[in-house]
Amino acid sequence: MKPRDLFLALAVVVAWGVNFVVIEVGLEDFPPLFFSALRFFFAAVPAIFFLGRPRVAWRYVIGVGLALGVAKFGLLFIAMDRGVPAGLASLVLQCQVIFTVLFAITVLRERPRPAQLAGIAIACGGMLLIMLDHGLSAPLGALALVILAGACWSVSNTITRYAKPPDTLRFMVWVSAVAVVPLTLLSLLTEGSRADLAALRGIELTGVGALAYLAVVATLFGFGVWGYLLRQYDASTVAPFSLLVPIVGMAAAWLLRGEVVGTQQAIAAVLVIGGMACTVIRRSAAASPSPEPVTTRTPELHQRSIR
């Protein structure tokens, strides 16, 4: 990977890791579903008026908008509002890797590799440790919502894989636009218009900053750069960077919010991240005697490495 692209990948990791602390800060000013709706509104507007229509079928845009924007982030925001700490949320949400592999096996009919099955078992052991940790301040019901959010994220991954959007930034802007109306309606039904209006009237600089960060940095910059990297390099080169997100998330929660990581949680984190690493390791990488820069490969060899 080129030095500039390596820097971009690490920048996305930091942006997505700190994202969980920013969500926690924003939830102090907004109801969770309304906060999520505002986040996607400002991610879509005004960009939607300059980027043009998406270059994929509308069913993919709507599918990802509902699975990622409404379900995944709606459930995540509710779970964090109900007491799941930022660092723990960043770790548990990465169970999406497990669900993505399971969906690939059951829906896409892909044949699982032994390393993938071993990785799923190891990561599930880490999740079990988290559930059995009686020192957690988060209720199990809220943790279950984060796991369900991870499953919804994996659904959106599967849809995106079918869609193969050529312009990820444009795709994410339209996905954000799709999510706004359902999230707003759900907020009005469950949180009430009074709570939403009160949040707008009493908004502070922290709330404005949280919205700006989630809309511009986490959504537009994060997903836009991630899509660019996936177009430049094979998935086995880019995907492992996502394993650093919970590390950054837990470190940011410790530094900025004083969230303490106990011994059992630390062991669970090692198991989850190690298990997820097993699911993204490619046989081609293991078979290669020495690392070879992607830029030196011909397109044909590059395509074989992906397969």
Side-chain angles (χ1 to χ4, degrees), residues 4-162:
R4 184 188 69 122
D5 293 340
L6 176 62
F7 173 80
L8 287 174
L10 293 176
V12 172
V13 167
V14 173
W16 282 350
V18 175
N19 172 61
F20 291 90
V21 172
V22 176
I23 292 172
E24 201 169 58
V25 171
L27 288 172
E28 296 174 358
D29 291 341
F30 300 99
L33 291 175
F34 186 55
F35 184 30
S36 189
L38 289 174
R39 173 252 188 96
F40 284 113
F41 175 81
F42 288 112
V45 178
I48 196 172
F49 299 112
F50 298 98
L51 294 180
R53 300 178 62 179
R55 297 175 179 176
V56 298
W58 283 106
R59 65 180 180 274
Y60 296 132
V61 177
I62 295 172
V64 175
L66 295 177
L68 181 71
V70 179
K72 181 243 179 170
F73 281 106
L75 291 169
L76 175 64
F77 280 33
I78 291 173
M80 293 185 66
D81 186 59
R82 293 183 179 179
V84 178
L88 185 61
S90 69
L91 174 64
V92 176
L93 188 64
Q94 297 307 313
C95 69
Q96 61 89 11
V97 176
I98 302 172
F99 286 110
T100 298
V101 173
L102 292 177
F103 280 131
I105 295 171
T106 58
V107 178
L108 302 179
R109 302 298 181 184
E110 294 182 0
R111 183 175 298 176
R113 292 177 285 110
Q116 288 179 316
L117 296 177
I120 291 174
I122 293 170
C124 286
M127 291 292 178
L128 182 60
L129 273 184
I130 291 173
M131 296 299 181
L132 295 177
D133 187 352
H134 297 292
L136 287 177
S137 58
L140 289 180
L143 274 177
L145 291 180
V146 180
I147 295 175
L148 186 56
C152 294
W153 191 1
S154 69
V155 171
S156 74
N157 288 341
T158 304
I159 298 173
T160 303
R161 182 169 179 177
Y162 274 110

Side-chain angles (χ1 to χ4, degrees), residues 29-31 34 38 187-188 191-203:
D29 291 341
F30 300 99
F34 186 55
L38 289 174
S187 176
L188 291 173
E191 296 164 347
S193 57
R194 290 185 179 180
D196 294 347
L197 292 174
L200 290 176
R201 285 194 296 264
I203 190 172

